[in-house]
Amino acid sequence: MINVALPKGRLGEKVYEMFARSGYECPELLEPNRKLIFTNEEKGISFFWVKPSDVSIYVERGSADIGVCGKDILLEYEPDVYEFLDLNIGKCKMMVAAKKEFYDFKDKTLRVATKFSNIAKKYYESKSRDIDIIKLNGSIEIAPILGLSDVIVDIVETGATLKENNLEVKEIIAPISARLIGNKASFKFKTKEIENIIKRLGELVKND
Amino acid sequence: MNNLKNYEKAVFALREIYLSYGYLPYKMSKFEEYDLYLKNKEFLVSDRVITFTDTNGKLLALKPDVTLSILKNASGEKQKVCYNENVYRVSSGTNTFKEIMQTGIECIGKVGLYDVYESVLLACKSLESISEEYVLDISHLGIINKLLQGQDSVFVEKILVALSEKNKNAIMHACKEYDKQDMQSVLVELATLYGDVKQVIQKLESLDLIKYAQELKDIYNLIKDSKYYNKINVDFSLTGDINYYNGIIFKGYINGIAESVLSGGRYDKLAQKLGKTCSAIGFAVYLDLLENFNYTPSEYDVDTLIIYNDTVSEEEIIKAVNENLSFGTVRVQQEIGTLRYKKLLALGDKK
């Protein structure tokens, strides 16, 4: 039995669709009910929905053998897991944004508002820039507008929210997309099954 | 012995194995000069250690690692030692210091093929003593060292991380970014190469890489007819810091434990860094990981619970205790409380 942690939400549904098309369907998963774990005994697979940022925790600690989560989560938490595949869906970018007129004079500590404090810290460390991290949990875009921060580090899909608020992308830190990850120990004992899933899902990945 | 916890049983079993192969017990002091770790911090799993000032003003540390302490004191003479020590390091998940019980062996001095074989064998035996369902992953750093020799250090770092994640995409990105497309196919091949030793060796022969990892083939020949052979897999996603490790490295896994419980390898380069001319190989078993493995909570706290009141004399209690000790554990107290017991014995009249 392979346990799969899927991220709740739109991305997770897309990912499940890929699993279903590869022959790992579990129809009851899409029915409206309050169940938490969905198993297809015949196919030897079991799915469960968790908060997207928790997927890597379930996988790293072995409660899930494999899982799917955004590269942003992997960059932020740096879990000790295998990263088997780039599923090339849920694509967006991790970037630095600020008000249009903002210019970084580099003569003072840069105030950075973000949900991703580890990513921000590492990025500015690599540039030897002194920063003050302001950890927020949502609505990051409002921080520079209210003067809480100089810039924000966040994921951007279309840039529409930024545009509407007179913000723009200043630097791109990394491209983000959904990744298939796996627990290192589980892979040793379920090698064949997991390799099969990687192979079949890999065939469905659209490369552009 | 039945009352022993998993990891306590393991300590005894492992020590038996190591002693039987002539590894002598080595007892270390709890502290070490901080300087030793500062100079070799890349060798440590985490570079954060618990430090304090000694009475003479020297900065000391609670040991985060055993290997450095043993190797530091190595003379030219051959040493085979086993140890069982607590180390203190930051656990990655929680970002707090943890006490980790670690047992293991070190073989220091002139290390020949037999010694390498013996380490691999003892690693298998160690895992076997914990559970029948185990896997020993083995790799050889010779190939990756050869491929990455003289390359840009940031590129090397990226490739090593990508390899350890079996991350084909990251390898391809790094090769593209650093204009090393010629290395891409072989690196991707290495990242995904996993499984049966014989098949992997054949693959390496076809790629003309086996000459950098001849030892792997030698070990294969020595172990192929033993019962341990089908428990060993080659995995090139297994990497270590190439500034410290060289040659064979390995990691052991137990089905049901989410992390590797055994880790080790050949670390001649660390010995050189410490100014030694010797070679060294060894491994550690992380016993704290066994705590939740196959854990079956006992049904009762005690077998017999004896309660008594003021009317009961001490002599009566002692007699009751002695009568019941042969049936298992006995606890004496005035009230029943919340203890779970198999048999309750109330002495004196209960009013």
Side-chain angles (χ1 to χ4, degrees):
Chain A
M1 184 65 61
I2 302 291
N3 294 308
V4 188
L6 293 177
K8 251 184 228 161
R10 233 179 3 175
L11 178 68
E13 280 161 29
K14 267 190 182 168
V15 171
Y16 168 69
E17 218 173 88
M18 288 181 78
F19 272 92
R21 274 165 56 212
S22 327
Y24 297 100
E25 70 276 3
C26 192
E28 60 171 344
L29 187 115
L30 296 174
E31 290 163 16
N33 57 29
R34 285 177 176 270
K35 271 180 82 168
L36 296 171
I37 299 168
F38 306 89
T39 306
N40 185 338
E41 292 283 351
E42 193 195 326
K43 305 271 180 183
I45 201 150
S46 185
F47 294 97
F48 53 90
W49 299 108
V50 297
K51 197 175 165 165
S53 55
D54 290 342
V55 169
S56 67
I57 300 172
Y58 283 89
V59 174
E60 187 179 24
R61 299 210 163 219
S63 295
D65 300 312
I66 56 173
V68 173
C69 70
K71 181 70 182 172
D72 51 329
I73 302 298
L74 300 177
L75 289 171
E76 178 65 17
Y77 298 106
E78 304 182 58
D80 186 20
V81 294
Y82 289 135
E83 188 181 321
F84 294 123
L85 272 182
D86 182 347
L87 298 177
N88 218 16
I89 54 172
K91 287 173 80 166
C92 51
K93 288 192 169 78
M94 181 65 63
M95 45 90 247
V96 181
K99 285 204 268 190
K100 276 195 176 127
E101 59 273 22
F102 171 76
Y103 181 80
D104 186 2
F105 284 102
K106 300 193 170 66
D107 61 348
K108 70 172 194 61
T109 303
L110 188 69
R111 293 172 304 158
V112 183
T114 186
K115 255 197 288 196
F116 303 98
S117 41
N118 188 33
I119 296 177
K121 189 174 139 241
K122 286 211 147 171
Y123 177 68
Y124 284 104
E125 242 170 37
S126 75
K127 307 179 89 181
S128 304
R129 185 81 169 90
D130 183 34
I131 60 165
D132 178 15
I133 291 179
I134 303 159
K135 164 99 177 152
L136 297 178
N137 295 302
S139 307
I140 317 288
E141 295 87 355
I142 205 168
I145 299 169
L146 295 178
L148 177 66
S149 75
D150 301 313
V151 298
I152 61 172
V153 167
D154 205 4
I155 42 179
V156 176
E157 210 170 327
T158 59
T161 318
L162 293 181
K163 212 166 188 184
E164 267 172 43
N165 291 295
N166 200 32
L167 301 173
E168 66 178 17
V169 173
K170 298 288 183 187
E171 290 152 71
I172 290 168
I173 298 177
I176 305 292
S177 57
R179 309 292 163 100
L180 178 71
I181 59 172
N183 178 273
K184 288 190 171 177
S186 294
F187 181 73
K188 318 294 171 194
F189 299 98
K190 299 177 180 175
T191 315
K192 282 251 147 52
E193 293 95 320
I194 294 175
E195 277 179 347
N196 269 336
I197 294 175
I198 298 170
K199 188 165 162 275
R200 293 204 205 163
L201 283 181
E203 283 161 5
L204 288 181
V205 173
K206 293 190 197 85
N207 284 309
D208 39 31
Chain B
M1 289 288 268
N2 290 330
N3 295 329
L4 290 181
K5 295 216 165 71
N6 250 326
Y7 64 87
E8 291 168 329
K9 281 184 200 155
V11 171
F12 287 112
L14 294 174
R15 190 209 284 265
E16 279 303 309
I17 295 171
Y18 307 147
L19 288 179
S20 69
Y21 277 77
Y23 286 76
L24 303 182
Y26 192 108
K27 175 78 194 154
M28 264 158 281
S29 78
K30 286 249 178 296
F31 322 129
E32 190 70 69
E33 276 185 39
Y34 176 63
D35 193 46
L36 177 69
Y37 303 116
L38 191 66
K39 280 183 185 147
N40 299 287
K41 65 175 195 263
E42 289 89 4
F43 179 75
L44 303 174
V45 180
S46 140
D47 60 2
R48 284 154 67 190
V49 290
I50 302 175
T51 57
F52 61 96
T53 316
D54 199 8
T55 46
N56 60 8
K58 261 193 184 149
L59 193 58
L60 294 186
L62 279 173
K63 276 199 317 289
D65 168 89
V66 176
T67 304
L68 277 172
S69 304
I70 296 181
L71 200 52
K72 182 191 75 170
N73 298 315
S75 59
E77 200 189 340
K78 177 98 164 197
Q79 261 187 314
K80 284 190 176 184
V81 297
C82 62
Y83 59 84
N84 177 42
E85 297 284 335
N86 283 326
V87 296
Y88 303 85
R89 56 170 82 132
V90 173
S91 73
S92 58
T94 56
N95 208 20
T96 50
F97 280 106
K98 247 181 100 181
E99 186 182 52
I100 296 165
M101 197 201 273
Q102 178 177 324
T103 200
I105 59 160
E106 308 285 352
C107 169
I108 298 166
K110 210 171 160 193
V111 175
L113 179 62
Y114 172 76
D115 297 305
V116 179
Y117 159 80
E118 191 177 73
S119 301
V120 173
L121 179 76
L122 290 180
C124 285
K125 281 180 181 278
S126 303
L127 293 166
E128 190 191 29
S129 77
I130 298 166
S131 165
E132 297 267 293
E133 286 182 74
Y134 69 91
V135 164
L136 186 76
D137 275 0
I138 180 165
S139 175
H140 195 288
L141 288 174
I143 294 175
I144 202 73
N145 272 347
K146 182 73 195 169
L147 289 172
L148 296 177
Q149 208 170 49
Q151 301 286 354
D152 182 282
S153 65
V154 182
F155 173 69
V156 171
E157 177 67 20
K158 281 191 176 180
I159 292 296
L160 287 177
V161 170
L163 269 179
S164 72
E165 293 172 345
K166 289 190 187 290
N167 192 336
K168 284 188 273 181
N169 289 295
I171 291 175
M172 291 192 277
H173 273 291
C175 287
K176 204 168 159 195
E177 193 183 337
Y178 287 83
D179 204 19
K180 305 274 183 219
Q181 272 97 337
D182 50 320
M183 296 171 69
Q184 185 178 309
S185 67
V186 63
L187 286 172
V188 168
E189 192 81 57
L190 280 181
T192 47
L193 214 50
Y194 181 77
D196 182 65
V197 188
K198 191 175 169 193
Q199 281 171 17
V200 173
I201 286 176
Q202 279 167 355
K203 184 82 201 169
L204 291 175
E205 276 169 343
S206 74
L207 290 166
D208 197 25
L209 288 172
I210 193 71
K211 57 187 174 206
Y212 306 122
Q214 185 58 38
E215 210 173 25
L216 206 56
K217 205 174 162 182
D218 297 338
I219 295 291
Y220 161 70
N221 282 326
L222 291 174
I223 218 155
K224 67 177 185 233
D225 297 322
S226 80
K227 64 168 174 169
Y228 300 109
Y229 174 68
N230 57 14
K231 296 289 190 183
I232 301 177
N233 281 325
V234 179
D235 184 1
F236 279 97
S237 77
L238 192 60
T239 57
D241 192 314
I242 52 177
N243 295 314
Y244 293 96
Y245 289 100
N246 59 307
I248 295 274
I249 54 170
F250 44 85
K251 263 199 166 127
Y253 295 87
I254 300 279
N255 197 1
I257 300 179
E259 292 169 61
S260 65
V261 295
L262 182 151
S263 172
R266 183 85 181 251
Y267 47 89
D268 297 353
K269 286 190 179 174
L270 174 66
Q272 283 159 22
K273 269 205 140 180
L274 289 170
K276 312 283 178 187
T277 48
C278 57
S279 298
I281 188 165
F283 63 79
V285 183
Y286 303 107
L287 296 166
D288 56 308
L289 294 174
L290 303 184
E291 205 174 352
N292 288 313
F293 176 65
N294 275 351
Y295 175 70
T296 37
S298 56
E299 228 173 305
Y300 309 105
D301 297 317
V302 291
D303 292 320
T304 309
L305 177 63
I306 298 176
I307 55 167
Y308 66 96
N309 60 14
D310 301 343
T311 65
V312 182
S313 74
E314 278 68 27
E315 285 78 9
E316 279 175 87
I317 301 174
I318 293 170
K319 188 166 163 268
V321 168
N322 288 337
E323 276 168 10
N324 282 286
L325 268 175
S326 53
F327 303 114
T329 56
V330 181
R331 163 111 154 208
V332 179
Q333 58 190 37
Q334 285 90 337
E335 306 288 335
I336 293 182
T338 56
L339 223 55
R340 298 167 309 158
Y341 50 83
K342 206 187 269 178
K343 186 179 122 190
L344 180 69
L345 189 62
L347 300 179
D349 52 17
K350 300 291 291 175
K351 276 172 194 162

